[in-house]
Amino acid sequence: VFDKWAPASTGIGGSNPSGSALVLGALAIQPHSEDTQIFPVTSPLQCPALDYGSSFSRAAEIDFPDRRYITISGTASIEPGGETVHLDDMVNQVKLTMEVAEAILSSRGMSWGDAVKFIAYVRNPEQAGAFADYCRENALPILPAVVAGNIVCRDNLLFELELDAVVVK
């Protein structure tokens, strides 16, 4: 996995119906031709996660002959140096997280309208409305989103977002 670059990923703590210790999904691709390329995508607003000791890419893109697919790792209110910002402020953590995700999409010629899957993780379920409020206040298209109450990747983060987007060539 790490021969060329770290994969996109999200790590969240929570329960599941089966009571399993670990639940995961993985996307593994072996291109059958040079017409399909896979590469990491950096964040215009954040440093690489490897810079502060986390082993994941901010995003990964798969460039197929007929479409481009991007998966953005769990993204949160982290400043360019790798520190959490907007402590105890759900509204501004959502705002910065959404700005970071939008910057990644824009860097690849994509927009919110290209999103096909969102998973929003909130530490405190009673604050989940902050995500819907942001989407409404910023006139975002209706997004295919699941909002889940979970333990987010750092103790001081209240919100984390992962998403996938696709554009047809």
Side-chain angles (χ1 to χ4, degrees):
V1 165
F2 296 103
D3 288 347
K4 296 181 182 176
W5 50 275
S9 72
T10 301
I12 298 296
S15 62
N16 61 77
S18 68
S20 299
L22 177 67
V23 176
L24 64 94
L27 174 64
I29 296 175
Q30 177 64 48
H32 292 285
S33 75
E34 293 181 11
D35 292 339
T36 299
Q37 302 293 316
I38 305 170
F39 52 91
V41 175
T42 60
S43 171
L45 301 180
Q46 295 175 321
C47 66
L50 294 171
D51 286 3
Y52 56 82
S54 289
S55 298
F56 68 93
S57 293
R58 294 284 176 205
E61 183 171 325
I62 306 160
D63 189 359
F64 295 101
D66 62 340
R67 67 196 176 288
R68 291 177 31 247
Y69 170 89
I70 188 170
T71 183
I72 297 179
S73 296
T75 298
S77 182
I78 297 171
E79 52 90 27
E83 298 298 320
T84 301
V85 290
H86 306 301
L87 300 176
D88 300 319
D89 183 346
M90 179 67 159
V91 170
N92 281 311
Q93 284 198 13
V94 168
K95 181 178 184 289
L96 178 57
T97 300
M98 296 299 283
E99 289 170 355
V100 168
E102 184 173 34
I104 294 170
L105 288 170
S106 293
S107 77
R108 303 306 307 146
M110 296 180 177
S111 69
W112 293 121
D114 299 313
V116 295
K117 180 192 85 173
F118 278 84
I119 302 177
Y121 302 99
V122 294
R123 180 173 293 277
N124 304 312
E126 66 275 5
Q127 294 181 314
F131 175 61
D133 292 345
Y134 178 90
C135 293
R136 186 178 48 260
E137 290 165 7
N138 290 277
L140 295 183
I142 295 175
L143 305 173
V146 172
V147 179
N150 286 92
I151 297 170
V152 183
C153 65
R154 294 181 183 180
D155 290 342
N156 56 12
L157 286 170
L158 305 173
F159 180 78
E160 186 169 338
L161 180 77
E162 66 178 74
L163 71 101
D164 295 346
V166 176
V167 291
V168 177
K169 293 181 179 179

